[in-house]
């Protein structure tokens, strides 16, 4: 598992596999109820396997220690 956080855009991506090939995530499933200022999407492959989790508005949705330990960009 790997977490990357883009501070400039306040987005985080939690990769659950070592590498997600281009086009492997064929569907994004929105997750309701995370928070008023956050959006969460589950990325799944053609077999329905969960590949990763995208969090928009990550600063308000994820614990600070998770963001501090992530790889940062932006």
């Amino acid at each position: 598992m790997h977490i990357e956080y883009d501070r400039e855009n306040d987005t985080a991506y939690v990769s659950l596999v070592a590498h997600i090939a281009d086009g492997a995530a064929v569907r994004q499933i929105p997750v309701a109820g995370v928070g008023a200022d956050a959006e969460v999407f589950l990325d799944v492959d053609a077999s329905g396997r969960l590949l990763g989790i995208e969090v928009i508005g990550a600063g308000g949705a994820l614990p600070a220690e998770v963001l501090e330990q992530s790889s940062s960009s932006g």
Side-chain angles (χ1 to χ4, degrees), residues 9-28:
N9 294 303
D10 194 25
T11 59
Y13 194 82
V14 181
S15 298
L16 301 175
V17 296
H19 175 72
I20 301 173
D22 288 342
V26 298
R27 197 170 72 177
Q28 286 192 318

Side-chain angles (χ1 to χ4, degrees), residues 2 11-12 20 25 29 32 37 41 45 54 65 72:
H2 175 77
T11 59
I20 301 173
I29 302 168
D37 295 332
F41 298 92
D45 67 10
E54 180 179 17
E65 59 267 14
S72 295

